[in-house]
């Protein structure tokens, strides 16, 4: 799957998508992620990839049900680019995003033509998890809180970006 780039959407579309994500991210949905984390979704490299695919799939189902097929597949945010103002949520309070430009590149290791250097899903998942953790840390605030991170709308397009790499790896096998 090649997901569209979040930062190429119009400002209005980004604002709408961020608001739809906030509607979807109920306490139950947030708990799903936390329960999965406690079961290994942030330590087991295979579960990291499979759980987060399923997790963003739930949002995609919601977007289709609500009548927004234009946001499916979910757009991806590449963390080498800044977080747009519409996704600067929350932007006040102790949980606010601290850094909108984490400036983490997944290139060239995770470019499609280089993915064959990851021989197993475990190798790929481990490498992606490490880089992914750095993005969460550099953004800070709620994004650096494993229990609450999915409350930040940018969480979702970021995981969409990771899922695209996983997908590209799968089709190259
Ligand atoms: Cu994450």
């Amino acid at each position: 799957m090649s997901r569209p780039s979040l930062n190429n959407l119009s400002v209005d579309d980004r604002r709408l998508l961020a608001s739809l994500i906030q509607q979807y991210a109920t306490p139950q949905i947030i708990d799903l992620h936390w329960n999965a984390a406690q079961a290994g979704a942030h330590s087991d490299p295979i579960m990291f990839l499979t759980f987060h695919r399923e997790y963003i799939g739930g949002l995609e189902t919601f977007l289709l049900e609500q009548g927004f097929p234009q946001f499916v597949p979910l757009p991806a945010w590449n963390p080498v680019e800044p977080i747009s103002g519409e996704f600067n949520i929350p932007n006040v309070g102790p949980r606010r995003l601290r850094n909108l430009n984490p400036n983490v590149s997944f290139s060239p290791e995770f470019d499609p033509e280089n993915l064959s250097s990851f021989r197993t899903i475990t190798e790929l998942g481990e490498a992606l998890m490490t880089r992914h953790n750095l993005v969460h840390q550099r953004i800070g605030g709620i994004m650096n809180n494993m229990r609450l991170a999915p409350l930040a709308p940018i969480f979702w397009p970021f995981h969409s970006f990771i899922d695209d790499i996983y997908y590209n790896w799968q089709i190259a096998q």
Side-chain angles (χ1 to χ4, degrees):
M1 189 175 330
S2 210
R3 298 171 180 274
S5 164
L6 178 69
N7 285 0
N8 287 345
L9 301 187
S10 71
V11 167
D12 283 351
D13 275 353
R14 276 200 299 271
R15 195 170 288 135
L16 174 58
L17 179 58
S19 136
L20 289 164
I21 291 173
Q22 288 179 285
Q23 285 173 44
Y24 179 67
T26 59
Q28 289 80 0
I29 295 295
I30 302 308
D31 279 352
L32 268 182
H33 179 263
W34 177 236
N35 294 338
Q38 289 174 303
H42 293 89
S43 53
D44 178 278
I46 300 177
M47 196 178 164
F48 171 71
L49 295 173
T50 55
F51 168 74
H52 287 90
R53 170 168 292 175
E54 187 185 312
Y55 197 51
I56 60 178
L59 171 61
E60 289 172 327
T61 300
F62 169 83
L63 291 168
L64 291 175
E65 285 168 357
Q66 298 295 309
F68 299 96
Q70 68 269 37
F71 297 132
V72 178
L74 188 68
W77 169 64
N78 182 337
V80 81
E81 297 174 6
I83 297 171
S84 62
E86 301 74 41
F87 273 76
N88 182 13
I89 298 172
N91 62 6
V92 290
R95 293 174 179 162
R96 70 189 183 279
L97 306 186
R98 302 301 166 114
N99 175 13
L100 300 182
N101 195 8
N103 197 24
V104 176
S105 175
F106 281 64
S107 226
E109 308 92 291
F110 298 101
D111 290 348
E113 62 273 23
N114 295 327
L115 288 176
S116 58
S117 68
F118 300 102
R119 287 165 300 167
T120 61
I121 181 175
T122 303
E123 278 182 24
L124 177 75
E126 270 170 1
L128 276 174
M129 237 182 342
T130 304
R131 194 73 52 96
H132 146 271
N133 292 344
L134 181 63
V135 175
H136 278 277
Q137 286 160 15
R138 284 201 186 167
I139 297 172
I142 201 166
M143 274 292 272
N144 201 24
N145 177 326
M146 200 188 284
R147 181 163 202 156
L148 299 176
L151 279 171
I154 196 62
F155 171 98
W156 300 84
F158 173 44
H159 274 278
S160 201
F161 173 78
I162 304 234
D163 190 64
D164 240 8
I165 295 172
Y166 174 32
Y167 180 80
N168 287 336
W169 179 84
Q170 284 184 305
I171 58 172
Q173 298 311 298

